[in-house]
């Protein structure tokens, strides 16, 4: 595995520096290696397209009657009859561009090359600054900038953007090109329910998921398996050291490993503005079996009760085994710290092991030392209720200003379908993560995300609740975020914080339109998990 | 002036402290720029001021060369952002200085544009953020969005007040006898302005231009909202220097920060001899 | 070639006054055009959408904002917007601390630099370096400097002889102190430069004469230097007050306005409301309210300056 990784990395370095259409090449000799498929790019029998040139490439090739095949054929037909656009402009987070532009694995073409070769329609990728995707999209919509055909934005903005009229309704294209997202074998987790959650708003399709940010817990295997640590823990707590099953366990284990003077923090799940609240979610929704909901069916907030207060208190107390700088840390600090061996546990995007347990990442000191675990949970009747959260997760949406919405949709269908998506998400060049059933069985995904992690990831997915995705999502989250931050800095007590969130949320429900929100709340509930783990 | 040894000791001590404080962030930046990745995150006891293993990787990286440690590939290099920053700042400075100097002279000598002092003061006082929504819409309508000239235009406008006010104080202060004498000898007013007044104003012009240039060169907020891809400037580009492999690319940011300090420093050196006189704002009453 | 020689010139030679007025008009024209260009449309648009609930999520473009007409609701909301007033108050606090500190530090340093001493050029060059550092870069550097295991605590620990692990940016009060330190670091050099220019211009012979007459250093400064430097000091202070009021770049990169809203200044607040809450009608109301407040302040300042100069 290490060897193959090394190989693919060299491949990356050799051909990796695409300067984009606007990049200026400064005295760099042509270093582009002719992709292997140009010479021996034979497709497997019966296939009409897909990557070639590396062992196992046939897994990612497709026949004519597949979502990918139909997308390609339709795009080719558009090209042939002159209705294809000169190019498709795709707005994508800076950090994920590599997944489309860098060949992976060694010998393969890039995702972008395959599309362009097969359809003849060039893709122009425009980087959106990390964390600013939504701002840039709003900029384009409000100024009628028309700068993009496709926006990729956090999935839970779908409702807001659909209401704004800034993104196109894709129902007609879905009916025509049959993406088969709900395929029971290799489709979305949860079948049509999963599709409704990620791609649809109030029954219509507005997006195509390109990401799977199921927040996943990882720990330092080397520390947890160190006999000296185990003995010390057992002596201190009278039970063996293991990955925490409950939040109480978690607090204990985190406190045990918390040694700031030695540069080690107990648990560094985020606490910063705009992100940290997802870790509050995990603590809150696990409070009742199967779920402690945020809103009642009538649209009234449920957070201002014993559960909300307790979750908030735990969330604040956990700062004790976090970096003193916790509140100012975003994921770049979190990843950097974990990669340099600075934390015993953390909860992050599912790609953390892809980047940090990676022999190609010479900056990481934890390669080979990472383990994955289920989110800590709570004892409920009949077992342990552990919950994670779907947060960020980019979804591709077609701009309402696009002059070629169908071609843009076809690209999204192609990118987001089983074969191409698995191949793309395995690529270490960016942070679009696996989310389809097919991804979790894919050998390349299992290689770059690691088998140990994919196993846990799959289980985490089954325990993941969605963040708020109704209209007003942004406002709801901001209100929660503000009060939680105030609780973290001690400006509000947990009780005050929850009380303030409740009154803010009530106001937002009213302002956004009660019937719209209530309808969306009820629809969203269907996607919440019911898994409860047995006690053992 | 008499110099007591006590005063001298005190002076040196005070200046040394000031220099030390001034240098802390600058040396930190210089140090980061040459640190390899494993040293970026070092904190507490492991923290070093001098890179243990100095490298030029950070500089190579932002110019598109790969480095031994960074396996992330940049989608684009720092070249175009540097060009964008230069073009927008230089042209913006030219716009501000030309319009500002002319207007300052027109008001100072001929009393035209009595509304300008207040209007320009208001313009500069107003936080750009508060007006960015209409400006974005206007810029998009005019096709100025994400162009270096569009950025230069807004830079020229927001720094116009500085150019105007700085130059006005000098024109107000300049004795008129020379100009009057030249006019008696048959020079036109325009000629007096361009051939006599402006050359005398070299020092103030240079200082004001440096100052305006630094303001333009520093901008982050306006470029963040008025550029999208092609013409993002250095500060906006810098924000995109992060990766999942290593978190924030501090080394690369610091390297770019050092490079970004070069143009103002060069300008500063070029006009150094004008700097002290140029910043008196003509406001010294003799 | 030149404007004055343009063929449009009337056949009858103008009087000198007319001639001057025409040139003055032409000279001020570009500035006038630029001001109108940036003022008219944005003001009208702000005025219009400030009377509505329009937002970019509303589903229609801004010209149709009237569909969301709400009268003066945005303006009456202003009074109850605690976060807005807190942000304004915080901006005033930052200004009230930073500007005087920058001024006093700048003036003290300038006084040490009036006459020659060995090493002056080098010291001078180093002291003005912070101005040359792009504020965004300074923001990233200060973010690192102020980490709990970062260099600032390291240096403080060495000086004080014990371990310091203050989490500057995670503490509401200290975060505010940290962003103020960053601002003072970056802009004291400007004060220093301007005030030094002023001090150098004070006639040294008068100072020397005063010394001979037995005047103390403070008396010399107060009676000879200060009156001559009054205007330049006002200018230096005015520049920093104006720029500091808009503080954004370094601060936003260091703290994002946080923790919570602890370092949220007016620019950061408007940025957040614009990009996160997206209630643009309300943003317009804030902008116009600020414009009114600032205009009053500007008129007042101009009057004062006029009087001071007279």
């Amino acid at each position: 595995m290490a060897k193959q990784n090394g190989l693919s990395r060299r491949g990356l370095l050799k051909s990796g520096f695409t300067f984009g259409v606007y990049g200026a090449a400064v005295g760099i000799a042509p270093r582009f290696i002719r992709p292997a498929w140009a010479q021996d790019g034979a497709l497997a029998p019966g296939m009409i397209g897909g990557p070639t040139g590396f062992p196992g490439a046939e897994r990612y090739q497709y026949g004519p009657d597949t979502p990918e095949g139909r997308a390609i054929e339709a795009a080719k037909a558009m090209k042939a009859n002159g209705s294809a656009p000169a190019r498709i402009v795709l707005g994508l987070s800076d950090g994920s561009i590599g997944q489309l532009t860098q060949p992976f694995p060694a010998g393969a073409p890039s995702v972008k090359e395959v599309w362009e070769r097969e359809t003849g329609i060039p893709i122009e990728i425009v980087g959106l600054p990390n964390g600013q995707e939504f701002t840039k999209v709003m900029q384009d919509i409000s100024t009628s900038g028309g700068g993009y055909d496709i926006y990729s934005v956090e999935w839970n903005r779908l409702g807001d953007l659909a209401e704004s009229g800034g993104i196109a309704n894709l129902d007609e294209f879905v009916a025509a090109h049959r993406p088969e997202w709900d395929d029971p074998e290799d489709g979305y987790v949860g079948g049509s329910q999963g599709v409704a959650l990620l791609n649809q708003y109030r029954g219509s399709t507005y997006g195509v998921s390109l990401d799977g940010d199921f927040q996943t817990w990882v720990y330092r295997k080397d520390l947890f398996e160190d006999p000296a640590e185990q003995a010390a823990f057992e002596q201190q707590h009278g039970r063996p050291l293991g990955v925490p099953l409950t939040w109480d366990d978690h607090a204990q284990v985190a406190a045990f490993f918390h040694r700031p003077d030695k540069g080690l923090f107990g648990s560094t799940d985020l606490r910063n503005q705009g992100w940290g609240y997802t870790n509050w979610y995990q603590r809150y929704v696990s409070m009742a079996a199967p779920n402690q909901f945020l809103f009642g069916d009538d649209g009234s907030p449920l957070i201002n009760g014993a559960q909300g207060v307790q979750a908030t208190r735990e969330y604040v107390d956990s700062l004790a085994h976090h970096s003193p700088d916790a509140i100012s840390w975003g994921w770049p600090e979190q990843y950097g710290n974990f990669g340099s061996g600075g934390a015993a546990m953390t909860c992050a995007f599912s790609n953390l092991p892809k980047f940090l347990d990676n022999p190609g990442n010479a900056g990481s000191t934890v390669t080979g030392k990472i383990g994955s675990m289920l989110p800590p949970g709570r004892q409920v009747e009949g077992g342990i209720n552990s919950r994670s959260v779907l947060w960020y997760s980019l979804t591709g949406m077609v701009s309402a200003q696009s002059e070629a919405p169908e071609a843009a949709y076809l690209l999204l269908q192609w990118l987001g379908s089983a074969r191409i998506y698995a191949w793309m998400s395995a690529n270490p060049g960016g942070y679009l993560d696996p989310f389809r059933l097919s991804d979790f069985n894919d050998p390349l995904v299992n290689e770059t995300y690691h088998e140990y992690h994919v196993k846990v990831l799959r289980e985490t997915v089954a325990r993941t609740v969605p963040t708020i995705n109704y209209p007003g999502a942004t406002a709801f989250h901001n209100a929660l975020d503000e009060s939680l931050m105030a609780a973290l800095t001690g400006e509000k007590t947990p009780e005050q914080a929850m009380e303030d969130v409740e009154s803010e949320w009530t106001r937002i429900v009213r302002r956004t339109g009660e019937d719209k929100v209530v309808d969306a709340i009820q629809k969203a509930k269907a996607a919440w998990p019911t898994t409860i783990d047995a006690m053992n | 002036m008499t110099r007591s040894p006590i005063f001298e000791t005190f002076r040196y001590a005070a200046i040394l402290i000031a220099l030390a404080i001034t240098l802390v962030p600058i040396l930190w930046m210089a140090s980061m720029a040459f640190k390899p990745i494993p040293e970026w995150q070092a904190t507490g006891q492991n923290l070093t001021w001098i890179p243990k293993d100095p490298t030029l990787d950070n500089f190579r990286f932002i110019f598109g060369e790969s480095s031994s440690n960074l396996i992330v590939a940049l989608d684009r290099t720092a070249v175009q952002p540097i060009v964008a920053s230069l073009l927008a700042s230089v042209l913006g400075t030219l716009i501000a200085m030309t319009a500002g100097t002319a207007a300052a002279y027109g008001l100072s000598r001929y009393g035209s544009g009595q509304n300008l002092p207040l209007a320009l003061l208001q313009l500069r006082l107003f936080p750009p953020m508060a007006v960015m929504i209409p400006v974005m819409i206007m810029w998009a309508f005019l096709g100025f969005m994400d162009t270096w000239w569009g950025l230069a235009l807004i830079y020229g406008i927001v720094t116009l007040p500085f150019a105007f006010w700085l130059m006005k104080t000098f024109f107000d202060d300049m004795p008129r006898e020379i100009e009057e004498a030249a006019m008696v000898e048959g020079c036109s007013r325009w000629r007096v302005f361009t051939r006599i007044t402006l050359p005398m104003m070299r020092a103030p012009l240079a200082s004001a231009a440096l100052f305006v240039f630094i303001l333009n060169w520093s901008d982050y907020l306006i470029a963040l909202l008025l550029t999208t891809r092609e013409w993002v400037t250095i500060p906006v580009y810098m924000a995109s220097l992060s990766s999942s492999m290593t978190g924030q690319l501090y080394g690369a940011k610091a390297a770019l920060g050092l490079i970004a300090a070069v143009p103002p420093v060069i300008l500063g050196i070029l006009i150094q001899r004008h700097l002290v006189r140029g910043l008196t704002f003509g406001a010294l009453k003799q | 070639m030149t404007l004055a020689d343009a063929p449009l010139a009337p056949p009858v030679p103008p009087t000198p006054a007319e001639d001057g007025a025409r040139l003055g008009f032409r000279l001020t024209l570009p500035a006038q055009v630029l001001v109108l260009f940036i003022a008219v449309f944005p003001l009208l648009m702000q005025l219009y959408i400030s009377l509505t609930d329009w937002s970019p999520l509303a589903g229609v473009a801004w010209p149709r904002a009237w569909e969301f007409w709400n009268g003066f609701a945005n303006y009456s909301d202003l009074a109850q917007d605690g976060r807005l007033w807190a942000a304004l108050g915080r901006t005033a606090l930052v200004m009230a601390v930073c500007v005087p500190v920058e001024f006093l530090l700048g003036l003290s340093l300038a006084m040490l630099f009036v006459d020659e001493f060995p090493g002056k050029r080098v010291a001078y060059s180093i002291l003005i370096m912070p101005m040359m550092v792009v504020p965004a870069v300074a923001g990233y550097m200060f973010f690192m400097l102020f980490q709990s295991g970062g260099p600032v605590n390291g240096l403080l620990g060495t000086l004080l002889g014990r371990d310091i692990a203050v989490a500057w940016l995670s503490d509401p009060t200290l975060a505010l102190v940290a962003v103020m330190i960053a601002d003072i670091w970056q802009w004291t050099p400007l004060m220093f430069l301007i005030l030094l220019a002023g001090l150098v211009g004070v006639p040294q012979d008068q100072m020397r004469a005063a010394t001979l007459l037995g005047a103390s250093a403070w008396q010399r400064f107060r009676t000879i230097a200060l009156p001559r430097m009054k205007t330049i000091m006002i200018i230096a202070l005015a520049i920093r007050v104006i720029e500091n009021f808009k503080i954004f770049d370094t601060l936003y990169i260091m703290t994002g306005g946080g923790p919570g809203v602890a370092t949220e200044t007016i620019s950061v607040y408007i940025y957040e409301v614009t990009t996160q809450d997206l209630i643009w009608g309300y943003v317009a109301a804030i902008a116009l309210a600020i414009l009114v407040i600032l205009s009053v302040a500007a008129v007042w300042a101009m009057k004062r300056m006029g009087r001071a100069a007279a």
Side-chain angles (χ1 to χ4, degrees):
Chain A
M1 188 151 74
K3 185 169 166 261
Q4 232 178 338
N5 245 322
L7 271 177
S8 54
R9 184 185 152 235
R10 253 192 310 280
L12 260 179
L13 293 182
K14 274 184 184 150
S15 55
F17 286 106
T18 45
F19 284 93
V21 281
Y22 23 75
V26 271
I28 298 199
R31 40 173 57 227
F32 203 80
I33 301 228
R34 204 80 218 114
W37 51 260
Q39 288 98 39
D40 58 332
L43 293 164
M47 299 292 141
I48 63 154
T52 52
F54 59 97
E58 63 283 353
R59 279 197 309 272
Y60 310 106
Q61 296 168 1
Y62 34 80
D65 195 26
T66 57
E68 288 94 336
R70 284 191 292 274
I72 292 287
E73 293 297 328
K76 268 156 75 175
M78 289 179 79
K79 184 83 184 167
N81 69 22
S83 61
R87 56 183 185 156
I88 298 173
V89 183
L90 165 63
L92 186 65
S93 308
D94 278 325
S96 284
I97 296 175
Q99 274 173 300
L100 273 82
T101 58
Q102 292 169 11
F104 173 83
S110 72
V111 170
K112 184 169 177 280
E113 281 163 10
V114 172
W115 166 270
E116 292 177 347
R117 172 170 51 110
E118 291 181 7
T119 63
I121 305 173
I123 307 174
E124 182 184 334
I125 303 175
V126 176
L128 305 176
N130 146 45
Q132 301 256 356
E133 292 89 351
F134 186 61
T135 308
K136 287 289 168 191
V137 167
M138 288 320 306
Q139 189 183 22
D140 192 64
I141 292 175
S142 59
T143 60
S144 307
Y148 313 83
D149 293 298
I150 299 173
Y151 306 125
S152 55
V153 193
E154 303 101 283
W155 73 280
N156 39 3
R157 312 270 200 186
L158 201 71
D160 275 342
L161 286 174
E163 287 285 335
S164 80
I167 56 175
N169 183 320
L170 304 174
D171 284 342
E172 178 197 338
F173 307 138
V174 171
H177 305 292
R178 290 176 290 130
E180 298 174 14
W181 291 318
D182 55 356
D183 186 283
E185 296 292 310
D186 58 14
Y188 288 22
V189 175
S192 56
Q193 220 167 69
V195 178
L197 180 69
L198 291 174
N199 293 1
Q200 295 176 347
Y201 171 66
R202 300 185 86 193
S204 283
T205 301
Y206 282 93
V208 179
S209 175
L210 294 178
D211 202 353
D213 288 337
F214 306 96
Q215 301 296 310
T216 313
W217 284 81
V218 291
Y219 65 97
R220 285 280 299 285
K221 212 173 47 176
D222 57 325
L223 293 177
F224 278 68
E225 288 172 3
D226 180 347
E229 301 286 3
Q230 288 174 337
F233 185 86
E234 178 130 29
Q235 201 187 0
Q236 230 178 73
H237 296 291
R239 64 185 183 90
L241 172 64
V243 296
L245 297 177
T246 65
W247 286 108
D248 291 343
D249 280 359
H250 172 264
Q252 210 173 55
V253 175
F256 172 73
F257 280 116
H258 189 61
R259 297 155 200 168
D261 50 324
K262 300 213 169 56
L264 184 69
F265 302 122
S267 180
T268 56
D269 41 315
L270 292 176
R271 288 291 179 278
N272 63 333
Q273 202 149 13
W275 302 71
Y277 67 82
T278 59
N279 290 302
W280 173 90
Y281 253 87
Q282 303 190 9
R283 293 167 189 270
Y284 174 79
V285 296
S286 57
M287 282 276 177
N291 295 295
Q292 171 68 36
F293 289 104
L294 299 163
F295 289 93
D297 283 336
D298 57 350
S300 58
L302 301 176
I303 31 115
N304 187 18
Q307 294 90 345
V309 170
Q310 193 193 331
T312 309
R313 182 161 296 127
E314 285 178 9
Y315 179 72
V316 174
D317 289 347
S318 65
L319 281 176
H321 46 247
H322 203 307
S323 160
D325 303 309
I327 295 175
S328 66
W329 276 18
W331 70 259
E333 286 76 27
Q334 177 198 24
Y335 274 47
N337 167 271
F338 200 83
S340 60
M345 296 180 276
T346 200
C347 178
F349 295 125
S350 59
N351 55 31
L352 186 139
K354 166 162 111 170
F355 295 122
L356 301 183
D357 186 359
N358 179 339
N361 182 357
S364 172
T365 62
V366 295
T367 301
K369 299 177 183 168
I370 300 181
S372 313
M373 64 191 202
L374 284 180
R378 299 190 189 276
Q379 280 194 29
V380 292
E381 251 176 279
I384 289 181
N385 186 23
S386 98
R387 291 289 176 261
S388 179
V389 62
L390 178 67
W391 155 242
Y392 221 72
S393 227
L394 296 173
T395 288
M397 307 172 193
V398 176
S399 165
Q401 302 171 63
S402 170
E403 281 162 19
E406 185 162 17
Y409 167 78
L410 290 170
L411 172 60
L412 284 177
Q413 171 168 328
W414 182 78
L415 283 175
S417 288
R419 297 160 194 84
I420 294 300
Y421 194 79
W423 175 47
M424 180 167 82
S425 66
N427 188 325
Y431 40 67
L432 301 177
D433 294 323
F435 70 99
R436 298 179 61 119
L437 295 169
S438 44
D439 301 334
F440 300 125
N441 297 323
D442 182 81
L444 272 183
V445 170
N446 272 276
E447 184 191 314
T448 52
Y449 281 78
H450 305 291
E451 268 169 53
Y452 69 83
H453 188 61
V454 174
K455 209 174 95 206
V456 170
L457 178 55
R458 200 193 309 236
E459 294 302 314
T460 302
V461 171
R463 290 161 183 74
T464 296
V465 302
T467 38
I468 295 175
N469 63 329
Y470 346 124
T474 315
F476 285 120
H477 279 152
N478 283 346
L480 174 64
D481 191 33
E482 251 170 63
S483 276
L484 285 177
M485 287 307 296
L488 284 176
T489 57
E491 285 160 275
K492 285 182 187 174
T493 63
E495 288 82 2
Q496 268 174 318
M498 289 299 107
E499 207 179 300
D500 292 353
V501 177
E502 181 187 36
S503 67
E504 268 294 298
W505 278 9
T506 312
R507 214 166 56 86
I508 297 166
V509 170
R510 201 165 354 105
R511 207 173 55 203
T512 316
E514 204 146 346
D515 42 332
K516 252 195 289 186
V517 177
V518 168
D519 177 52
I521 287 172
Q522 290 170 356
K523 286 223 169 72
K525 265 186 187 170
W528 286 50
T530 52
T531 311
I532 305 283
D533 295 301
M535 289 283 278
N536 42 2
Chain B
M1 218 180 282
T2 48
R3 291 184 180 185
S4 68
I6 299 171
F7 174 75
E8 285 302 295
T9 319
F10 168 76
R11 177 190 352 234
Y12 277 109
I15 290 175
L16 279 179
I17 293 173
L19 289 182
I21 294 174
T22 303
L23 280 173
V24 164
I26 293 171
L27 291 182
W28 182 254
M29 173 167 75
S31 155
M32 281 309 294
F34 295 99
K35 279 184 184 173
I37 298 177
E39 294 179 43
W40 292 356
Q41 295 286 340
T43 54
Q45 264 110 32
N46 302 322
L47 187 139
T48 49
W49 278 86
I50 297 166
K52 285 191 213 124
D53 192 9
T55 171
L56 287 174
D57 277 358
N58 297 320
F59 292 90
R60 286 198 205 107
F61 177 71
I62 54 175
F63 290 110
E65 264 295 339
S66 171
S67 69
S68 52
N69 281 325
L70 290 158
I71 75 166
V72 261
L74 273 181
D75 181 55
R76 49 188 316 198
T77 68
V79 173
Q80 183 133 357
I82 291 173
V83 173
S85 274
L86 279 174
L87 287 173
S89 305
V90 170
L91 182 63
T93 306
L94 279 176
I95 293 173
M97 289 306 296
T98 310
T101 307
Y105 190 73
L107 176 62
S108 183
R109 284 295 176 278
Y110 303 112
S112 306
Q114 294 288 347
N115 62 322
L116 281 175
L118 181 62
L120 289 172
L121 183 62
Q122 283 170 306
L123 175 59
R124 189 67 207 177
L125 265 170
F126 200 59
M129 190 54 235
V131 74
M132 280 325 272
I133 295 166
V135 169
M136 255 161 60
I137 285 170
M138 197 169 151
W139 252 234
F141 179 77
L142 296 168
F144 289 173
M145 207 66 172
D146 198 27
T147 60
W148 63 268
W149 58 90
L151 208 50
L153 180 60
I154 189 85
Y155 283 173
I157 292 171
V158 297
T159 50
L160 171 63
F162 264 107
F164 173 82
W165 273 94
L166 292 182
M167 294 317 296
K168 182 179 169 299
T169 54
F170 283 101
F171 289 133
D172 286 351
D173 199 50
M174 187 184 143
R176 300 181 181 211
E177 290 78 7
I178 307 167
E179 293 179 335
E180 278 158 13
M183 286 199 337
V184 167
E185 282 176 28
C187 258
S188 74
R189 287 168 198 275
W190 174 253
R191 206 163 277 266
V192 168
F193 175 51
T194 55
R195 297 287 155 80
I196 294 173
T197 315
L198 283 184
M200 287 174 61
M201 287 287 147
R202 202 173 290 149
L205 280 170
S207 313
L210 172 71
F211 192 46
V212 166
F213 177 83
I214 288 179
L215 285 174
N216 290 336
W217 184 252
S218 299
D219 165 74
Y220 169 60
L221 180 63
I222 296 175
L224 184 66
L225 294 170
L226 292 186
T227 61
T228 50
R229 46 180 146 158
E230 206 116 355
W231 295 104
V232 299
T233 56
I234 292 174
V236 180
Y237 174 76
M238 189 168 297
S240 69
L241 291 174
S242 66
S243 101
S244 312
M245 297 279 182
T246 50
Q248 299 278 13
L249 299 171
Y250 284 119
K253 286 182 203 253
L256 184 56
L258 274 190
I259 294 171
V262 170
V265 167
I266 291 181
L267 276 184
I269 292 171
L270 284 180
I271 68 155
Q272 200 176 21
R273 63 202 174 89
H274 297 311
L275 210 51
V276 165
R277 185 175 112 67
L279 282 171
T280 55
F281 303 98
L284 285 170
K285 297 266 151 37
Q286 297 303 321
Chain C
M1 164 76 211
T2 60
L3 283 173
D5 303 336
L8 287 175
V12 185
T15 64
E18 279 172 350
D19 187 30
R22 192 169 318 114
L23 180 60
F25 173 76
R26 286 175 182 170
L27 284 171
T28 48
L29 191 60
Q32 299 279 23
V33 169
L34 287 174
V35 170
L36 286 179
F37 176 73
I38 207 63
V40 173
F41 172 77
L43 275 183
L44 290 178
M45 177 182 165
Q46 299 278 58
L47 195 59
Y48 171 45
I49 64 171
S50 75
L51 301 172
T52 72
D53 270 335
W54 181 78
S55 109
L57 298 177
V60 299
W62 70 272
R64 283 170 61 198
W66 54 267
E67 291 173 23
F68 301 87
W69 189 265
N70 70 2
F72 291 88
N74 285 329
Y75 290 94
S76 54
D77 281 355
L78 284 176
Q80 285 141 44
D81 186 348
R83 207 172 141 196
L84 168 69
W85 297 106
L88 270 174
R90 211 171 286 117
T91 312
L93 173 67
V94 170
M95 200 193 292
V97 173
C98 288
V99 177
V101 170
E102 286 162 17
F103 178 78
L104 289 175
L105 284 178
L107 184 62
S108 316
L109 280 171
M111 286 168 130
L112 298 178
F113 272 75
V114 173
D115 49 1
E116 293 299 322
F117 61 91
K120 177 174 164 177
R121 288 190 77 83
V122 177
Y124 172 85
S125 305
I126 293 175
L127 277 180
I128 63 170
M129 272 158 82
M131 277 170 67
M132 314 289 179
V133 176
V134 175
V137 187
Y140 289 109
M141 295 307 128
F142 276 107
F143 179 86
M144 301 183 77
L145 288 168
F146 281 116
Q147 290 292 295
S148 62
V152 166
N153 282 345
L155 290 173
L156 285 178
T158 314
L159 284 178
L160 302 176
R162 60 190 171 86
D163 275 354
I164 306 278
V166 181
W168 292 85
L169 301 179
S170 291
D171 179 280
T173 314
L174 291 178
L176 200 58
V177 173
V179 298
M180 287 180 189
I181 291 176
D183 190 75
I184 291 167
W185 174 82
Q186 187 138 38
W187 294 112
T188 298
L190 181 67
M191 284 283 194
F192 164 70
L193 262 184
I194 296 176
L195 294 172
L196 179 60
L199 274 176
V200 168
V202 174
Q204 292 301 308
D205 47 345
Q206 287 185 25
M207 295 289 265
R208 238 169 270 131
T211 316
L212 290 177
L213 291 173
S216 70
W218 168 243
Q219 282 171 326
R220 287 198 304 269
F221 175 73
R222 204 174 54 97
T223 55
I224 303 175
L226 198 60
R228 286 186 171 72
M229 288 182 64
K230 196 170 163 197
T231 314
I232 209 165
M233 284 177 170
I234 291 174
I235 292 175
L237 285 168
I239 290 179
R240 280 313 298 151
V241 165
I242 292 172
E243 297 305 301
N244 189 277
F245 177 72
K246 300 180 289 187
I247 185 168
F248 181 85
D249 295 358
T250 316
L251 183 153
Y252 190 73
I253 287 170
M254 281 173 74
T255 66
V261 292
T263 55
E264 191 172 82
T265 57
I266 190 66
S267 285
V268 175
Y269 174 67
I270 301 177
Y271 182 80
E272 292 291 316
V273 181
T274 304
T275 60
Q276 294 297 315
D277 300 353
L278 297 162
I279 36 181
W280 287 7
Y282 184 60
V283 173
I286 299 176
L288 290 173
I290 291 179
L291 183 65
V292 170
I293 297 173
L294 289 182
S295 300
V296 172
V299 169
W300 176 82
M302 295 270 297
K303 283 219 177 96
R304 283 298 301 265
M305 256 152 77
R307 216 176 304 148

